[in-house]
Each structure stands twice: as structure tokens, then as C-alpha cells.
Amino acid sequence: MLGVTDLPTYLAAVVLIVLLPGPNSLYVLSVASRRGVKEGYKAASGVFTGDTVLMVLAAVGAGALLQTSPVLFTAVKVLGAGYLGWLAVGMLRGALAMWRSRRSPDEEAPAGEEAAGAVERPFRRALVVSLLNPKAILFLLSFFVQFVDPHYSYPALSFLLLGTVSQLVSLLYLSTLIFTGTRLSAAFRRRKRLAAGATSAAGVIFLGFAAKLAVS
């Protein structure tokens, strides 16, 4: 169909790949748990936009460019690792503020925390996290071509179909995370230690993502 070979196998592979934890999905869950469904979908929109850009770049051969230009690949990788590290530091600072205020369960969130949330801009952050991942372009290029018929006259349509299927699976998964996150949000408002612990864990995990990207 439209030059795509073995669509059921591709769909099964996409589901498994989307379910793997990564910085994008973790960030969407974090935003939804702290700020609700609307902000969670803003972060998810950033992920969708970034993934779409990467898919288009993969389709036109940007992956080959990164493979043949080690300097460019290293530059983008360092930028991506640095941005993930910056996000991790912000999460850990927020967690520290929560730990300091955990003895006041009935108080509203500190003004500084509200102000930080107001300027967080989930869409932009999620978009940058998605775009500053050169390995994603290489992966998409090498993954998609396995399911494209080389003899099909319009390979762009094949990539479009594969990308659309991938985005639909991602939408379902991120929606699940968002609505799960809002339930976590209610628990976090009641239990500040739980919120502080979860935010600390997210910050540490993001540091791990940054380190893994930097040394890979």
C-alpha cells in the first residue's frame, strides 16, 4: 500500500519503540502532572512538531548528511546533551524547593514555583528536546527505509504513510500519559514529599539522558 511493505510488522515495531521511555514522553508526563491536561497537550504538540520535522529531514536525506559529517553530528549532539542537562538542573532546583516546603501541606505552591511554571513554555521545550537529537534522524532514516519498496515510483508517499502511522501511535501513548499525569497531579498536591521525590527522579533521569547522548 503506497509503497509500504509489511505494514503490520511496522506497526508492531512502532508500538514497541513508542513505549520505550525517553526524554520526550517523560517531559510530557512531567508537565501534565504539574500543570494539567491543557499544558500537557502543549508539550505533546511540541513533540509532534519536532518529530514531524525530523521525519521530513530523514525523508530528504538529512540522516545521510549527519553520517558523513562527524563535525555536524557532534555539534548537534553536544547541543542536545547540554539542553537536556539544563532541563535536568531546572527540575532538580524545583524539587529542592518542594523538599523545603514539604512541611506545609496546606499551603499553595510558592510564588517562585508558580512564576517558573508560567514561563516554562512546554511546547517550545518539547520541540527543542525533539529537534536536538541527531540520533533520531539517523534512526528514522534507517528504520523507515526497511519498509519502503525501492521500486515504488513515489517514495515520499511511503514516508508520509509511515510517519502518519507513527504519529498516531505517539498521540495515543502521549494522551495516556497526559491523563495519567493529571491523576498524579492530584496526588502531588496532597503529598508534597511524593511530588518532590517524583520531580527529583525526573531530574536525575534527564541527567542520565544527557550523559548518554553526550558519550554515545
Side-chain angles (χ1 to χ4, degrees):
M1 181 172 61
L2 295 179
V4 174
T5 62
D6 203 358
L7 186 59
T9 300
Y10 170 77
L11 179 59
V14 165
V15 170
L16 291 176
I17 292 167
V18 168
L19 290 177
L20 291 175
N24 289 341
S25 58
L26 182 61
Y27 181 65
V28 171
L29 176 60
S30 172
V31 170
S33 65
R34 290 181 287 109
R35 306 185 63 187
V37 171
K38 182 178 179 180
E39 297 300 307
Y41 271 110
K42 286 183 180 179
S45 297
V47 173
F48 298 144
T49 303
D51 286 350
T52 299
V53 171
L54 294 180
M55 289 176 186
V56 171
L57 290 175
V60 299
L65 173 62
L66 290 179
Q67 282 183 315
T68 58
S69 179
V71 174
L72 177 60
F73 181 87
T74 300
V76 177
K77 184 173 68 172
V78 169
L79 286 173
Y83 189 75
L84 289 177
W86 181 74
L87 287 180
V89 170
M91 290 181 178
L92 292 173
R93 290 178 61 187
L96 179 60
M98 293 178 191
W99 282 115
R100 289 174 175 172
S101 64
R102 69 186 185 279
R103 295 183 179 179
S104 305
D106 297 328
E107 294 179 3
E108 295 295 327
E113 184 179 334
E114 290 295 332
V119 297
E120 183 174 356
R121 295 171 184 168
F123 175 86
R124 188 176 69 178
R125 285 196 176 186
L127 176 62
V128 174
V129 169
S130 295
L131 293 178
L132 292 181
N133 186 2
K135 293 194 299 181
I137 303 177
L138 296 174
F139 168 77
L140 288 171
L141 185 66
S142 60
F143 181 60
F144 278 9
V145 295
Q146 299 178 51
F147 299 93
V148 175
D149 183 354
H151 303 294
Y152 186 64
S153 302
Y154 306 100
L157 292 179
S158 305
F159 275 93
L160 177 61
L161 176 59
L162 294 173
T164 300
V165 170
S166 177
Q167 293 289 61
L168 288 175
V169 173
S170 180
L171 173 62
L172 292 174
Y173 177 59
L174 292 181
S175 294
T176 300
L177 292 182
I178 288 170
F179 286 99
T180 300
T182 55
R183 292 190 177 185
L184 290 175
S185 178
F188 289 164
R189 284 194 294 268
R190 295 192 301 268
R191 301 178 183 179
K192 288 193 174 183
R193 289 187 179 182
L194 177 61
T199 305
S200 299
V204 171
I205 292 173
F206 262 71
L207 280 178
F209 285 137
K212 182 178 179 181
L213 180 60
V215 303
S216 61

